[in-house]
Amino acid sequence: MSTIWNRARRFVWGEIPATKEERKLLLKIDWFILSYCCLMYFTNYLDRSNVSNAYVSGMKEELNMQGTDYNKINTIFTCGYIVGMIPNNLMLQVVPPRIWFPLMQIVWGVLTFCSSAVHNVQQIYAIRFFQGVSEASTFVGTHYILGSWYKPSELGKRSGIFTSSGLAGTLFSGVLQAAVYQHLDGTSGRSGWRWLFIIDGIITLPIALYGFLVFPDVPATTRAFYLSEEERLLSHDRLEPVQDADRHRLSWNLIRRLLGRWRWYACSLLFAISGETESFGSNNLMGLWLKATGGYTVEQTDYYPSGVTAFGIVSTLICATWTDYTRARWPVLVYMSTAVIFSSICILVWGSPTWLKFLAYYVAGASYSGQATTFAWANQICADDNQERAIVLASMNMWNNVINAWWPLLFYPATDAPRFRKGMIAMICTAVATLAVTWLVWYLERREWRVKRVRDTENKNKNDTGSVDMKYPEDEKPRSASVEA
């Protein structure tokens, strides 16, 4: 019976730590790292997605928005996000994450408050640009932190929980906007969509204070009050037996390593393409479809698209748990691509019944499941070089946002609602390209493992006291983890 329980526990939460001390440590870092990262990312997406809900809840009419103004808001936010990505990641090397993350959260929280007082769409453009700059601190920085604390067998589901917290922010924003519109619209002379920005800002600021108090930085530099000296050493040492990450000083050699390997090219290409499958949710296509079709109340237009996000959360958590158990990341991208192909075909066939369109939009939420898996996969691939890992993770997000800056304007303009014919064709092509690049990354990773195994075997044969042979499971999946330089 205990064997069954241990297997079930391992499937749900990863490998069981070998000692009581490590179990206690894992519980602490789960509680403090995951709690703050998830709450931070929750507010990140809450304050990001509120424009979509505000647009269909009266902002469009009140600010006299025309044509593709809504898409331009998202594009300008993305441009700010791209501009802020590298400076934010550089600042994490200078300023402790426990300071920088909460500081940026305060900045975007204040900007969210400012959104409640705008009088024209140009003011929204300016606010969203700087909001993008500040929010760029969160996603890649957190994946880097997670990769510095957790083993590969622990990383997938933690990445999934982190990603799901952002989706929960999107989900909550729709529910909150409907409730705000119902109960606060017109209160103190403010429209319901303005109250949404105010409430979102109020939610954001206390969480930033929590981050100042509890976030532990990385194992090599942590001074968290809740970790003893023994636990600080253990947090570092428990990763080393599995993988010794290369430690390098910052130099031009980093550029040579980065450009001389396949990892940066393949991982960046993978998320640059696969990230666009999220266009169903990130552009609120279902909300635009409902508003353009007519016959739905404001509350329904806010509530119904929440099902897309809910399906995305469930898919993400199930896939993240499964990938940690099997160590296979690629099947999640196959599942995600298949789902969006199905959804796109259902919507392209415009004569299909309304219930099938609802189903298609909800199933498209599966596209969110690839995000956590792709970044966990990159963390695993680059586990032996922390500097390369940091740049690869940042580049993946950067190239995806470079494409996302113009992709919605071209394929998902609000003026194409309700049919989005161009967008559905583009989605099918994107999914097929995702499958091709997924195979490429899978092939290159396995080729690298085979080369390493041959090299380690040769070194061991030359000198039995030399390098230790790396142990791979039968299916050649490495059990590598990364440590902070």
Side-chain angles (χ1 to χ4, degrees):
M1 189 68 181
S2 62
T3 303
I4 296 175
W5 164 249
N6 286 336
R7 285 180 179 176
R9 183 179 172 186
R10 181 183 169 224
F11 178 78
V12 173
W13 206 239
E15 288 186 357
I16 302 171
T19 65
K20 180 180 178 181
E21 291 75 18
E22 189 174 356
R23 286 196 294 271
K24 183 179 178 182
L25 171 65
L26 188 60
L27 180 63
K28 284 185 178 182
I29 60 179
D30 275 345
W31 178 260
F32 289 105
I33 292 180
L34 275 185
S35 65
Y36 174 64
C37 287
C38 290
L39 288 170
M40 175 176 59
Y41 202 45
F42 173 85
T43 61
N44 187 291
Y45 259 77
L46 182 69
D47 296 342
R48 184 184 307 187
S49 61
N50 49 23
V51 164
S52 299
N53 299 110
Y55 179 80
V56 297
S57 302
M59 184 176 77
K60 175 186 176 183
E61 291 77 13
E62 194 167 331
L63 298 186
N64 192 30
M65 294 173 65
Q66 305 292 328
T68 59
D69 284 351
Y70 168 74
N71 301 96
K72 289 175 184 175
I73 291 174
N74 291 334
T75 294
I76 289 171
F77 175 90
T78 302
C79 290
Y81 198 95
I82 294 168
V83 168
M85 201 172 301
I86 292 177
N88 272 297
N89 279 284
L90 289 176
M91 287 305 297
L92 287 175
Q93 308 300 317
V94 178
V95 181
R98 72 178 186 279
I99 302 298
W100 190 251
F101 280 154
L103 183 61
M104 289 298 98
Q105 191 175 9
I106 289 173
V107 171
W108 83 62
V110 170
L111 290 170
T112 300
F113 277 120
C114 294
S115 299
S116 69
V118 297
H119 298 291
N120 55 61
V121 72
Q122 287 74 25
Q123 291 172 339
I124 284 282
Y125 290 161
I127 290 171
R128 295 297 282 185
F129 176 82
F130 290 107
Q131 197 163 342
V133 171
S134 58
E135 289 194 22
S137 62
T138 303
F139 183 75
V140 173
T142 300
H143 274 291
Y144 183 73
I145 295 294
L146 294 178
S148 299
W149 283 93
Y150 292 110
K151 299 177 181 178
S153 60
E154 303 163 348
L155 186 59
K157 61 180 59 63
R158 270 78 177 184
S159 297
I161 291 170
F162 167 68
T163 302
S164 295
S165 67
L167 298 179
T170 303
L171 177 66
F172 184 68
S173 181
V175 175
L176 179 63
Q177 176 61 67
V180 165
Y181 187 87
Q182 238 177 347
H183 301 291
L184 291 179
D185 188 41
T187 301
S188 299
R190 291 181 179 273
S191 305
W193 65 268
R194 295 184 185 273
W195 278 110
L196 175 67
F197 289 116
I198 294 172
I199 293 172
D200 287 350
I202 291 172
I203 293 171
T204 300
L205 296 183
I207 295 172
L209 177 61
Y210 175 65
F212 280 123
L213 296 175
V214 306
F215 199 68
D217 291 330
V218 294
T221 62
T222 183
R223 293 293 179 266
F225 68 88
Y226 48 83
L227 295 178
S228 66
E229 186 60 33
E230 291 76 15
E231 287 172 330
R232 291 186 189 115
L233 292 173
L234 179 60
S235 67
H236 184 277
D237 295 343
R238 78 189 194 99
L239 303 178
E240 285 191 330
V242 194
Q243 178 75 43
D244 288 319
D246 288 345
R247 300 165 185 267
H248 303 279
R249 293 181 181 275
L250 284 173
S251 68
W252 289 108
N253 184 46
L254 172 60
I255 304 298
R256 183 183 62 79
R257 298 197 313 273
L258 193 70
L259 300 181
R261 296 169 175 169
W262 62 270
R263 301 168 175 182
W264 180 77
Y265 304 100
C267 291
S268 297
L269 182 62
L270 179 60
F271 194 63
I273 295 174
S274 66
E276 292 310 317
T277 62
E278 297 177 13
S279 294
F280 276 103
S282 60
N283 294 289
N284 193 24
L285 298 188
M286 186 175 187
L288 296 175
W289 168 61
L290 294 171
K291 187 175 180 68
T293 302
Y296 298 95
T297 66
V298 170
E299 290 87 348
Q300 288 172 328
T301 305
D302 284 321
Y303 276 131
Y304 289 165
S306 299
V308 180
T309 311
F311 192 84
I313 292 172
V314 173
S315 292
T316 297
L317 293 177
I318 291 175
C319 289
T321 301
W322 184 83
T323 59
D324 265 1
Y325 185 74
T326 64
R327 306 291 179 85
R329 313 290 185 188
W330 62 267
V332 176
L333 286 100
V334 174
Y335 158 70
M336 173 189 79
S337 301
T338 304
V340 298
I341 289 173
F342 165 80
S343 298
S344 300
I345 292 173
C346 290
I347 295 169
L348 272 175
V349 182
W350 192 246
S352 59
T354 300
W355 69 263
L356 185 58
K357 292 187 178 68
F358 267 86
L359 176 65
Y361 276 111
Y362 290 152
V363 168
S367 61
Y368 286 117
S369 63
Q371 188 181 101
T373 297
T374 304
F375 277 83
W377 198 1
N379 260 311
Q380 173 181 301
I381 289 169
C382 303
D384 60 350
D385 190 329
N386 283 312
Q387 292 175 356
E388 180 186 39
R389 179 166 63 90
I391 294 175
V392 167
L393 293 174
S395 296
M396 289 167 65
N397 202 31
M398 182 187 72
W399 288 116
N400 174 246
N401 279 280
V402 166
I403 292 177
N404 207 38
W406 53 269
W407 194 264
L409 282 171
L410 185 61
F411 294 112
Y412 305 103
T415 50
D416 276 8
R419 300 188 66 163
F420 296 110
R421 180 174 175 79
K422 286 186 303 185
M424 296 305 106
I425 295 172
M427 183 64 72
I428 293 172
C429 296
T430 301
V432 172
T434 296
L435 292 172
V437 180
T438 298
W439 177 85
L440 177 64
V441 174
W442 174 87
Y443 169 77
L444 291 172
E445 184 185 31
R446 274 154 182 73
R447 188 183 67 175
E448 183 174 289
W449 292 342
R450 288 192 293 269
V451 171
K452 283 182 179 179
R453 187 166 57 182
V454 169
R455 185 176 64 241
D456 291 341
T457 301
E458 289 175 350
N459 289 339
K460 185 179 180 181
N461 290 338
K462 288 179 180 178
N463 187 353
D464 288 338
T465 62
S467 62
V468 179
D469 187 23
M470 294 180 69
K471 295 180 180 179
Y472 296 89
E474 291 82 358
D475 58 355
E476 296 188 309
K477 298 183 182 70
R479 298 178 178 271
S480 61
S482 51
V483 294
E484 176 62 27

